[in-house]
Amino acid sequence: MLTSLCVMNFKAWRDSKEFRLAPLTVIFGANSAGKSSLGHLLLALKQTVLSPDRKRALHLGDDKSLIDLGTLAECLHNHDLKNPLQFALGWDFPGKMEFRDPLTPSRFAGDGLRLAATLQADAREQPSVRRIAYSLMLGKEPCLCIEYRRNENNKFEITSNEYKLVRTVGRGWPLDEPDKFYRISDQSRARFQNADFLSDFALSTEAALNSIHHLGPLRDHPKHIYSWSGETPESVGARGEFSVAAILAASSRGRMLNRGPKKRQARFDEFIAQWLKDLGIIHSFAVKPVSEGRKEYEVLVKTHHASSEVKITDVGFGVSQVLPALVQAFYCPRNSTVWMEQPEIHLHPQVQAELADVFISATQAREDGKERNVQLIVESHSEHFLNRLQRRVAEGEVKPDDVAIYFCRRSGGVAELEPLRLNVLGEIENWPENFFGDEMADISARTLAAMQRQINQRQESDVQ
């Protein structure tokens, strides 16, 4: 699970400052305030991990990648190539990482890792690594810090205050460029007698970034027929295009889920159908083969108890729009992080509120009796979603520490992120100005307009 993020000189973010990521993190803010670019950077980091090119420090994307950020200049704050791109990401381990120094009795153990990286444009205006810093965390404190950086002679060096790295005899060669933005190369590690643990740091980074899944704000239109030949998609896709395939794959493999401890278990398709019913969108939901032995399927729904069963294409747009968000929240593997953009699009205000219950449940759900430990990071514009979330905190359904809420705004062309303090009563103690628009100004203007209209009507009546 991701625990923290910091971004500097990326798009609108000059310096986001390090902010906490909770099991359920919600980011509000106006359009073009900079919310989405935080997720875009995480996707760029993930596609760099997936890239076969180890010498590319940061894969900014193309038409076949998760995201295409354009050129480095387009990514940098104010498009200034002199600015270094910096970011820091922290995450917890499902268990603990433990290792010992083979040359001394020293042992190290941590329950999380923090990676900080600095990249600078090279002569070809491509990203080049200037610094990689790892901190092995035990609780909130680092127990081992390692820094790999370019020195004043433009050569790489590695330093640590807690761990003495010893050179291999006869291998006094200079250290190599790192692999990507996070990995000290095998050749560089081989020049030390006791640097093998650095490969564990790199593997943990890959696991953390590979666990990120993204659902964008625009979703595919519903189809009359869906094809599925037995594959298991990694996720529902950025547009939710694999939602039905995910339902079929999870159900055929007998995945059993419940909404939390001591709640009833259900097969995946039944679990999703029950949530759709509880959201008040439909009465029943099913995915059925068109005919026996075929790989074509249709999604059939009933809007009311007494209504006929129809295809998903014949009902309101909201069902097909909320389905990917619902499926992704429970389909992703254990220990995943899901970044969702505007899951409330096309939904009635009441359903927007109910969606908060879905996401709270997703962070508490169990699969086959084990905690799923799923994290959701949600970009939203919905006041109804927030109101329900505050209510559930007040009712004790979710702990304040398990929720993080932020307000994103622009100030002088620079994005800023304000953490909102949520207390045990579900109250936001530092409500931002114009959080959901200037409601009081609208009420005041409406009242004044009504008064003026009454005055005008009386004056017209007196004249007559």
Side-chain angles (χ1 to χ4, degrees):
M1 180 180 295
L2 303 184
T3 56
S4 63
L5 178 63
C6 178
V7 178
M8 295 179 67
N9 293 319
F10 181 71
K11 295 192 178 252
W13 296 96
R14 185 164 59 197
D15 186 357
S16 72
K17 309 298 183 183
E18 190 162 75
F19 60 96
R20 182 178 74 96
L21 297 173
L24 178 54
T25 301
V26 190
I27 305 175
F28 295 96
N31 295 325
S32 302
K35 305 183 299 297
S36 297
S37 58
L38 295 171
H40 293 170
L41 177 61
L42 291 179
L43 290 178
L45 300 184
K46 177 175 180 175
Q47 68 193 19
T48 304
V49 165
L50 296 173
S51 171
D53 186 356
R54 285 195 170 192
K55 296 307 176 185
R56 178 153 50 176
L58 183 64
H59 183 9
L60 296 175
D62 51 39
D63 58 356
K64 296 180 181 178
S65 56
L66 298 172
I67 192 166
D68 187 357
L69 297 177
T71 65
L72 179 60
E74 290 173 313
C75 293
L76 290 172
H77 184 64
N78 289 335
H79 306 309
D80 187 352
L81 285 167
K82 295 179 182 178
N83 284 333
L85 171 59
Q86 297 175 278
F87 53 87
L89 185 66
W91 61 93
D92 284 338
F93 306 135
K96 269 195 173 184
M97 179 183 288
E98 298 179 322
F99 62 91
R100 61 178 292 273
D101 181 352
L103 305 181
T104 72
S106 299
R107 292 180 177 274
F108 298 88
D111 51 20
L113 201 61
R114 183 181 183 275
L115 165 67
T118 301
L119 284 74
Q120 190 91 45
D122 62 15
R124 299 175 296 117
E125 299 186 357
Q126 295 297 314
S128 175
V129 176
R130 303 294 301 181
R131 174 179 177 267
I132 298 173
Y134 276 111
S135 298
L136 182 65
M137 309 295 292
L138 186 60
K140 295 183 179 180
E141 298 298 324
C143 60
L144 171 62
C145 298
I146 296 283
E147 186 176 37
Y148 194 77
R149 65 179 182 88
R150 291 184 190 272
N151 58 25
E152 59 275 8
N153 298 319
N154 205 33
K155 302 291 185 182
F156 276 100
E157 62 182 16
I158 187 167
T159 57
S160 174
N161 292 329
E162 301 85 6
Y163 193 97
K164 184 179 179 182
L165 288 155
V166 179
R167 281 273 189 169
T168 302
V169 177
R171 296 193 180 184
W173 307 304
L175 302 179
D176 298 331
E177 291 268 353
D179 294 340
K180 306 180 181 180
F181 63 87
Y182 66 93
R183 186 183 186 94
I184 298 169
S185 71
D186 295 341
Q187 293 87 343
S188 292
R189 283 190 291 105
R191 287 163 194 167
F192 296 92
Q193 299 178 41
N194 56 344
D196 287 348
F197 71 95
L198 293 174
S199 63
D200 294 333
F201 286 4
L203 290 171
S204 178
T205 302
E206 292 171 356
L209 291 170
N210 280 329
S211 72
I212 296 173
H213 305 281
H214 172 244
L215 180 63
L218 302 177
R219 278 145 233 165
D220 273 5
H221 289 269
K223 299 177 182 179
H224 289 280
I225 299 294
Y226 293 86
S227 294
W228 183 67
S229 56
E231 72 279 3
T232 301
E234 179 189 12
S235 72
V236 302
R239 298 176 62 93
E241 61 270 29
F242 305 123
S243 298
V244 173
I247 293 172
L248 290 165
S251 302
S252 68
R253 284 153 182 75
R255 287 178 59 179
M256 302 291 291
L257 284 84
N258 62 6
R259 299 186 183 186
K262 300 180 181 179
K263 301 288 181 68
R264 187 180 69 87
Q265 283 198 113
R267 198 178 65 191
F268 192 86
D269 54 345
E270 298 170 348
F271 184 86
I272 296 299
Q274 187 60 52
W275 262 122
L276 287 169
K277 185 176 181 179
D278 291 351
L279 287 171
I281 298 177
I282 57 171
H283 175 73
S284 68
F285 170 93
V287 182
K288 298 179 180 179
V290 174
S291 61
E292 193 69 30
R294 297 277 298 276
K295 64 176 183 177
E296 289 83 18
Y297 293 80
E298 52 188 359
V299 178
L300 301 174
V301 300
K302 290 177 68 173
T303 55
H304 303 285
H305 174 71
S307 63
S308 301
E309 196 172 55
V310 297
K311 291 186 178 182
I312 193 173
T313 50
D314 298 326
V315 296
F317 205 50
V319 180
S320 61
Q321 295 302 287
V322 75
L323 185 63
L326 188 56
V327 174
Q328 183 62 82
F330 296 99
Y331 176 77
C332 60
R334 290 188 180 94
N335 306 311
S336 291
T337 294
V338 180
W339 190 292
M340 289 191 188
E341 298 184 61
Q342 301 177 49
E344 74 275 5
I345 282 181
H346 299 297
L347 297 182
H348 183 275
Q350 178 62 32
V351 183
Q352 293 180 26
E354 301 285 353
L355 205 56
D357 288 331
V358 172
F359 292 163
I360 290 171
S361 175
T363 65
Q364 300 173 347
R366 297 186 171 218
E367 182 175 342
D368 300 326
K370 299 178 181 177
E371 291 185 1
R372 283 178 46 73
N373 195 34
V374 166
Q375 177 181 41
L376 298 179
I377 305 174
V378 180
E379 296 176 41
S380 178
H381 296 288
S382 175
E383 184 175 3
H384 310 285
F385 180 97
L386 178 60
N387 288 338
R388 178 61 61 85
L389 189 57
Q390 291 177 264
R391 172 184 165 185
R392 295 309 188 212
V393 170
E395 293 172 342
E397 293 293 325
V398 60
K399 299 175 183 176
D401 287 347
D402 289 339
V403 178
I405 304 174
Y406 296 94
F407 179 58
C408 185
R409 61 159 66 91
R410 282 288 189 108
S411 177
V414 176
E416 295 179 345
L417 200 64
E418 180 180 358
L420 305 186
R421 297 190 300 274
L422 187 67
N423 63 28
V424 293
L425 301 177
E427 298 169 336
I428 293 176
E429 299 176 339
N430 57 329
W431 193 270
E433 185 179 357
N434 296 335
F435 190 9
F436 287 113
D438 193 347
E439 184 178 2
M440 288 306 299
D442 286 338
I443 293 172
S444 176
R446 186 181 69 201
T447 303
L448 290 172
M451 291 171 61
Q452 186 62 49
R453 174 164 289 191
Q454 289 176 343
I455 292 170
N456 292 342
Q457 288 174 344
R458 285 173 187 159
Q459 290 174 344
E460 291 172 2
S461 177
D462 291 344
V463 170
Q464 292 174 356

